[in-house]
Amino acid sequence: MKKNKSIFLLSFVLASTLFVGCEDSIDKVNSPIPYESIGGYENSDDVAAAHLVSKFSFEGNIADSKNSITDGTGTNVTYETGIKGEAYKGSASSFIAYNTVANSVINLKSITVSMWIKTEPHTGGAQSLFMLPKKTDFWGNIFTLIEGTGPATTMLMKNHIQKDVTPSIPWSGQFIEHGGANVLNNMFGAWKHVIWTYNGTSSTYSMYIDGQKLDLPASISKRYASDPATGGVGFGDLASSEVSKFIIGGYQQHLGAPWGSADGWMLHYTGSMDEFRIYDAALTDNEAVALYKLEKDKR
């Protein structure tokens, strides 16, 4: 009898040990598999993290997670499924007005603007995606527009930069236009990732679409403070002035005083927008590609 009990106890111990060992093995098999690094980064917020000054993810709200652009009010703002969580959904009357802008945005010397957009062709004017307004001028400081002209298969995008210094320079406000041979193709009807950068040190402009750097001619990529044909020097650091408020989906004229009413061609952005970011530096090629891939991977 004692022998049988001993055999039973030994069998129980061996079975228990085997069961625990199996559990350990299962736990190891089911452990989360680490993400593969992209460009040396695990998460989109790791890309140029020290230079990220503003970020809007539109997760059911209009907040800047970096708190550089605050005190906002949305008009007719709705949301839809975005590339990563929810996204801002525009309309012919939608926009977001922010009253407070931090020095980290006001004093930008170089810049990267990154965003996902999904839109359709339009006519009748130009839609503003965002604008850093200027109180004493018809135009704002820094902004992005989509013109409603040309074939429905191509997008004519314009980005604007500003350098207000004393003494003033001839070419202080510059439209950087993607038209003609440099018009943007296949931009409508699907989520597209857009990055544009300006490097104040080298006076160079770049654009990336879905992680691909565009091959731009020097007439677009190289920026000057005056006509290079007459000895113009590089544009140098950005210098915004008379900054007041910030707007997504509209023009400064849609904000009321001190601006007049909007002209008929000044249209609200009717498309969708997600993961809108502003950096105080021009991202490198590796950083731009990594940001696109990580956000596409919902990281």
Side-chain angles (χ1 to χ4, degrees):
M1 187 70 174
K2 288 181 179 181
K3 183 177 180 181
N4 290 340
K5 285 182 178 180
S6 298
I7 294 172
F8 175 78
L9 288 172
L10 179 60
S11 300
F12 177 78
V13 170
L14 289 173
S16 298
T17 302
L18 179 61
F19 180 72
V20 171
C22 288
E23 279 196 319
D24 289 343
S25 178
I26 290 171
D27 286 342
K28 290 176 181 178
V29 170
N30 292 334
S31 296
I33 299 173
Y35 281 119
E36 181 180 353
S37 174
I38 295 177
Y41 304 100
E42 304 294 333
N43 185 280
S44 56
D45 286 347
D46 297 335
V47 178
H51 295 286
L52 179 61
V53 297
S54 187
K55 178 192 174 188
F56 299 87
S57 294
F58 305 114
E59 297 302 324
N61 62 68
I62 60 173
D64 172 12
S65 62
K66 304 301 289 186
N67 293 315
S68 295
I69 300 172
T70 56
D71 192 16
T73 300
T75 298
N76 298 328
V77 172
T78 58
Y79 304 92
E80 68 168 4
T81 301
I83 197 72
K84 184 180 176 185
E86 291 188 298
Y88 169 88
K89 183 174 175 59
S91 74
S93 60
S94 301
F95 66 98
I96 311 172
Y98 298 89
N99 289 317
T100 306
V101 182
N103 286 335
S104 57
V105 176
I106 293 174
N107 297 326
L108 288 166
K109 296 181 179 180
S110 297
I111 190 173
T112 294
V113 175
S114 172
M115 69 187 101
W116 290 85
I117 60 173
K118 184 177 71 172
T119 190
E120 300 294 339
H122 73 272
T123 58
Q127 295 187 3
S128 173
L129 278 75
F130 81 95
M131 182 172 283
L132 180 65
K134 181 179 179 180
K135 288 188 294 186
T136 57
D137 190 64
F138 179 81
W139 296 111
N141 285 291
I142 302 171
F143 53 87
T144 293
L145 309 178
I146 298 175
E147 291 278 4
T149 58
T153 56
T154 58
M155 178 181 287
L156 198 168
M157 180 176 284
K158 294 180 179 180
N159 297 312
H160 186 271
I161 56 176
Q162 192 75 26
K163 184 182 180 72
D164 288 331
V165 292
T166 302
S168 63
I169 60 173
W171 292 0
S172 59
Q174 300 192 7
F175 277 99
I176 306 172
E177 182 174 319
H178 291 269
N182 299 290
V183 73
L184 305 180
N185 296 300
N186 304 314
M187 292 294 290
F188 297 113
W191 282 108
K192 305 294 289 186
H193 192 238
V194 178
I195 293 178
W196 66 265
T197 75
Y198 173 74
N199 187 321
T201 301
S202 60
S203 299
T204 53
Y205 167 88
S206 300
M207 175 174 271
Y208 306 78
I209 302 295
D210 288 345
Q212 295 293 317
K213 187 175 185 179
L214 302 188
D215 184 13
L216 299 174
S219 59
I220 295 178
S221 63
K222 190 65 178 177
R223 312 312 302 175
Y224 291 90
S226 58
D227 190 348
T230 58
V233 298
F235 193 68
D237 290 344
L238 300 176
S240 296
S241 68
E242 295 294 322
V243 173
S244 176
K245 306 183 180 182
F246 190 86
I247 186 168
I248 290 176
Y251 289 80
Q252 60 187 27
Q253 284 79 3
H254 291 122
L255 299 176
W259 303 279
S261 59
D263 291 348
W265 60 267
M266 294 179 170
L267 306 180
H268 296 282
Y269 175 59
T270 58
S272 299
M273 181 188 300
D274 202 5
E275 296 299 310
F276 177 80
R277 299 167 180 258
I278 300 175
Y279 295 82
D280 65 3
L283 294 187
T284 65
D285 292 349
N286 177 69
E287 289 169 336
V289 173
L291 181 60
Y292 159 68
K293 290 182 176 180
L294 287 162
E295 287 187 335
K296 185 180 180 182
D297 200 33
K298 305 187 186 304
R299 288 197 253 169

